[in-house]
């Protein structure tokens, strides 16, 4: 049995009125219903509280999985009156309630559910017969992420983008890093989705953008030309009403020229048909900011749509570069993408270049702009000035400045 109570639902009612609140409840109810089987039962107990009865589950692990699933479904954004809302819920769970009085059961569920609320909400907790509580992992990670964010525990590393033919640095990509004391390094591929799911991405994205722009401005002030600063932006961030003013404000505060900011967007297929989002990209480009399509080729994106998107550059995903030069499919895709980009007057960068052979293929196919361990791994900001001055990002001594001596490609960090 699960007692599901929405977090912060009162706010929806207060802000949008009861009509919208009712609509929200209907949406949540049907989401919950869709997670359940025909033999399960769901009831609204009143207010924003639902009771779920599940039969024949194989033990607490299975029950926990369902609680996770319910939380995941509830966390998906709800669009009401043109605005995006993020809801979470707190769940009390009893995995074996045979022979327990209804009243006692509800009281226990209530206690477990309130335990989740007081621990920061958005999670589940078991009422177990032995009295030991188990807390959902989602809750712990999410509140840890929030804390890390508030304590500036998420930092940036920078990786060079290089035009190998010209021997110049095109720019830097700012990549988020989360170093914890207890669990070591947590990769962005783990915590960015968590941030997106919980809505924390807005706050996180803003903080990282601010840090990247101030760092870029600092390098400029120090007379170190690091080119453009590329910052990753999640589609969800773009949908935020205040996204464009936020970017403008940050650029102004940091004193960083808009023409030096590049925004990398992945999953552009999700914005197909979202005119408002496309208009925002256009506004940003009017300011001088450039836009890149990240991970190009891995996610479905119709070519017809790409031609309509206001973008400046595409980044060929590492998945294709990996196969170079021997894999026929990868080679065909890379050269097709390069010539397509050229005919569309888009810049192209190959990501994840690790070997001389990959680079040679790219050079032969007219794609001299690369990013990858071959030129340099992502490193902390203080490592960059030396890299620029000594041109250690250039792969061979032949291409390097006379005073640089080491001949191995840098494998830092
Ligand atoms: P991405 O934007 O495609 O970033 C490139 C990733 O490839 C980085 O991983 C980088 O370290 C890695 N990489 C670069 N060159 C090579 C190479 O030669 N070999 C290999 N094996 N890997 C290479 P990282 O830093 O772990 O980032 C993973 C993803 O997390 C990024 O993929 C991006 O989608 C996301 N991410 C990172 N920082 C942010 C951020 O600030 N905001 C958002 N929204 N997403 C971010
Ligand atoms: Ca990127
Ligand atoms: Ca990428």
């Amino acid at each position: 049995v699960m007692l599901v109570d929405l977090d912060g639902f009162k706010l929806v009612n207060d802000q949008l009125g009861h009509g919208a609140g009712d609509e929200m409840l209907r949406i949540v109810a049907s989401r919950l219903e869709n997670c359940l089987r025909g033999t399960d039962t769901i009831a609204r107990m009143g207010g924003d509280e639902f009771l779920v009865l599940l039969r024949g589950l194989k033990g607490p692990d299975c029950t926990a999985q369902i609680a996770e699933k319910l939380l995941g479904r509830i966390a998906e954004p709800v669009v009401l009156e043109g605005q995006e809302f993020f809801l979470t819920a707190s769940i009390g769970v009893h995995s074996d309630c045979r022979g327990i009085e209804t009243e006692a059961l509800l009281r226990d569920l209530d206690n477990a559910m309130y335990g989740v609320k007081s621990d920061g909400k958005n999670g589940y907790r078991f009422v177990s017969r032995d009295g030991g509580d188990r807390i959902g992992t989602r809750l712990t990670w999410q509140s840890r992420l929030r804390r890390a964010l508030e304590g500036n525990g998420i930092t940036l590393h920078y990786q060079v983008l290089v035009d190998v033919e010209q021997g110049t640095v095109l720019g830097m990509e700012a990549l988020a890093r989360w170093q914890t004391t207890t669990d070591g390094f947590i990769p962005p591929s783990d915590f960015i989705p968590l941030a997106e799911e919980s809505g924390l991405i807005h706050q996180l994205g803003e903080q990282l953008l601010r840090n990247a722009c101030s760092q870029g401005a600092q390098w400029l002030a120090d007379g170190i030309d690091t080119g453009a600063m590329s910052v990753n932006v999640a589609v969800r961030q773009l949908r935020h009403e205040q996204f464009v003013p936020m970017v403008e404000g940050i650029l102004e505060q940091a004193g960083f020229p808009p023409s030096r900011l590049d925004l990398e967007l992945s999953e552009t297929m999700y914005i197909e048909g979202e005119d408002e989002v496309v208009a925002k990209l256009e506004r940003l480009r009017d300011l001088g900011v450039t836009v890149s399509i990240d991970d190009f080729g891995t996610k479905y994106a119709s070519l017809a749509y790409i031609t309509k998107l206001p973008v400046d550059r595409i980044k060929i995903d590492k998945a294709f570069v990996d196969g170079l030069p021997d894999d026929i499919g990868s080679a065909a895709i890379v050269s097709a993408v390069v010539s397509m980009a050229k005919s569309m007057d888009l810049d192209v960068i190959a990501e994840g270049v690790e070997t001389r052979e990959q680079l040679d293929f790219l050079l032969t196919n007219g794609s001299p702009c690369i990013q990858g361990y071959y030129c340099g791994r992502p490193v902390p900001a203080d490592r960059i000035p030396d890299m620029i001055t000594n041109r250690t990002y250039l792969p061979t001594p032949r291409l390097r400045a006379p005073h640089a001596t080491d001949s191995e490609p840098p494998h830092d960090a």
Side-chain angles (χ1 to χ4, degrees):
V1 181
M2 299 188 188
L3 181 66
V4 181
D5 190 284
L6 300 181
D7 302 324
F9 178 71
K10 194 179 162 306
L11 234 85
V12 177
N13 264 337
D14 292 350
Q15 279 180 9
L16 294 178
H18 289 264
D22 288 351
E23 181 57 25
M24 181 80 95
L25 285 176
R26 272 192 287 270
I27 293 171
V28 170
S30 77
R31 284 184 182 180
L32 294 176
E33 237 179 333
N34 285 336
C35 290
L36 305 175
R37 303 158 305 176
T39 49
D40 300 329
T41 306
I42 177 166
R44 178 165 169 234
M45 301 293 280
D48 55 356
E49 225 175 61
F50 298 88
L51 196 72
V52 179
L53 281 162
L54 305 147
R55 279 170 234 265
L57 294 181
K58 293 185 193 77
D61 284 342
C62 196
T63 315
Q65 268 176 21
I66 292 178
E68 286 275 350
K69 191 165 142 196
L70 296 180
L71 287 171
R73 287 291 283 138
I74 292 170
E76 286 169 19
V78 176
V79 180
L80 275 183
E81 298 181 359
Q83 249 181 298
E84 212 181 18
F85 285 89
F86 301 99
L87 269 190
T88 59
S90 300
I91 307 182
V93 187
H94 207 308
S95 64
D96 184 7
C97 46
R98 278 168 297 185
I100 302 177
E101 293 291 333
T102 311
E103 225 162 274
L105 174 66
L106 287 175
R107 192 196 52 229
D108 285 350
L109 284 170
D110 224 44
N111 281 338
M113 184 271 288
Y114 274 108
V116 178
K117 295 250 188 217
S118 66
D119 259 2
K121 304 176 180 154
N122 192 21
Y124 60 93
R125 181 177 287 194
F126 274 87
V127 185
S128 61
R129 281 200 159 156
D130 57 15
D133 287 347
R134 291 206 301 144
I135 302 169
T137 50
R138 181 182 293 270
L139 171 70
T140 10
W141 279 109
Q142 227 160 66
S143 39
R144 283 181 67 183
L145 181 60
R146 180 172 288 120
R147 240 170 290 150
L149 194 59
E150 281 156 7
N152 291 318
I154 298 178
T155 57
L156 286 171
H157 279 194
Y158 298 89
Q159 187 178 27
V160 279
L161 278 61
V162 179
D163 181 335
V164 178
E165 224 158 59
Q166 302 292 320
T168 52
V169 167
L170 295 164
M172 301 283 151
E173 177 172 0
L175 292 157
R177 296 290 177 261
W178 184 11
Q179 187 69 46
T180 66
T181 41
T182 44
D183 296 273
F185 171 73
I186 305 191
S189 48
D190 283 354
F191 70 80
I192 296 287
L194 196 64
E196 289 192 51
E197 199 172 281
S198 59
L200 280 174
I201 192 71
H202 299 294
Q203 206 186 331
L204 174 64
E206 179 171 351
Q207 194 181 91
L208 294 175
L209 182 69
R210 177 168 288 120
N211 292 349
C213 289
S214 338
Q215 184 60 67
Q218 185 60 52
W219 280 326
L220 271 181
D222 295 343
I224 299 156
D225 191 351
T226 51
M229 177 65 78
S230 293
V231 178
N232 294 286
V233 171
V235 164
R236 170 170 280 191
Q237 285 178 267
L238 270 182
R239 293 206 182 104
H240 195 282
E241 255 185 354
Q242 294 298 312
F243 185 75
V244 177
M246 184 266 288
V247 174
E248 269 182 289
I250 286 178
L251 285 167
E252 205 177 291
Q253 265 179 8
F256 194 55
S259 59
R260 282 187 177 254
L261 178 64
D262 173 67
L263 300 179
E264 294 194 3
L265 284 184
S266 188
E267 307 190 311
T268 42
M269 72 281 190
Y270 292 135
I271 57 174
E272 187 157 359
E274 286 186 56
D275 297 345
E276 270 170 50
V277 171
V278 175
K280 284 181 193 172
L281 294 180
E282 270 154 6
R283 285 223 302 287
L284 288 163
R285 286 181 81 222
D286 288 342
L287 295 172
V289 173
T290 59
V291 178
S292 298
I293 300 187
D294 207 350
D295 310 328
F296 187 80
T298 49
K299 290 157 188 151
Y300 161 81
S302 78
L303 281 183
Y305 180 55
I306 296 286
T307 59
K308 288 195 206 111
L309 269 188
V311 299
D312 302 276
R313 174 162 81 182
I314 58 185
K315 300 184 79 176
I316 302 179
D317 195 78
K318 178 178 183 299
F320 304 110
V321 175
D322 276 346
L324 299 180
D326 299 325
D327 180 66
I328 299 168
S330 304
I333 288 172
V334 169
S335 57
V337 170
V338 171
S339 56
M340 179 199 83
K342 276 192 183 152
S343 65
M344 286 168 57
D345 209 21
L346 294 174
D347 292 332
V348 53
I349 291 205
E351 286 191 292
V353 179
E354 293 182 349
T355 67
R356 180 78 224 186
E357 290 70 33
Q358 291 168 342
L359 173 60
D360 285 338
F361 178 94
L362 291 161
L363 285 172
T364 318
N365 283 271
S367 176
C369 298
I370 64 165
Q371 175 181 3
Y373 292 176
Y374 196 67
C375 289
R377 292 189 180 232
V379 292
D382 58 10
R383 300 270 295 279
I384 295 293
D386 173 68
M387 206 166 178
I388 301 288
T389 324
N390 295 318
R391 314 221 300 165
T392 55
Y393 52 86
L394 285 178
T396 64
R398 171 172 58 86
L399 291 165
R400 227 175 255 177
H403 58 271
T405 45
D406 52 336
S407 55
E408 284 297 302
H411 284 280
D412 310 299

